[in-house]
Amino acid sequence: QVQLVESGGGLVQPGGSLRLSCADPGFSLEDYAVGWFRQAPGKEREEILCISSSDRITYYADSAKGRFTISRDNAKNTVALQMNSLKPEDTAVYYCATPLPKYTECTGTYDYWGQGTQVTVSS
């Protein structure tokens, strides 16, 4: 059973940084695509970016380019979302997702999501 767990959220000042982590205790995430999503208050969930099993990165949110990046730590079986230059509009619940066992590449489709971690950007 896929059990994605996000961590690392919290309160941060505008212009600050946060590093979120996505983990699963039962699956090797390195073998599959993993995406990061967010859902702001009153808005639909949107995909930010995705990393393939070969570490190819696909950006879906233009606002994240140049500020957010995704990476793997396969020794820990985790996928990180590094967020820099955070803005108030980045405030949202952040989720990781995976299409495992279907896809190694980022296709824009996912079958499983974690429960999310809250990120609040405010002064």
Side-chain angles (χ1 to χ4, degrees):
Q1 182 176 333
V2 178
Q3 293 181 311
L4 298 176
V5 179
E6 303 93 343
S7 62
L11 176 64
V12 64
Q13 298 273 352
S17 298
L18 282 176
R19 187 175 180 88
L20 308 183
S21 181
C22 174
D24 190 287
F27 292 84
S28 296
L29 295 181
E30 66 180 291
D31 296 328
Y32 304 97
V34 176
W36 279 96
F37 290 72
R38 65 185 177 187
Q39 187 166 25
K43 297 183 178 180
E44 295 183 347
R45 184 163 57 187
E46 65 170 348
E47 186 169 4
I48 306 167
L49 40 60
C50 175
I51 187 168
S52 73
S53 63
S54 61
D55 291 344
R56 179 189 299 171
I57 300 172
T58 301
Y59 283 87
Y60 292 94
D62 288 340
S63 63
K65 294 180 179 178
R67 300 190 300 126
F68 294 6
T69 191
I70 188 171
S71 62
R72 295 181 180 273
D73 185 341
N74 291 334
K76 297 181 179 179
N77 194 32
T78 60
V79 176
L81 175 64
Q82 178 67 46
M83 304 185 294
N84 301 322
S85 302
L86 284 164
K87 305 174 181 179
E89 52 263 43
D90 294 319
T91 296
V93 178
Y94 284 72
Y95 304 85
C96 61
T98 181
L100 71 81
K102 296 179 180 179
Y103 306 118
T104 60
E105 300 296 323
C106 297
T107 66
T109 60
Y110 301 88
D111 292 331
Y112 302 98
W113 286 262
Q115 294 300 305
T117 184
Q118 177 70 48
V119 172
T120 302
V121 184
S122 176
S123 60

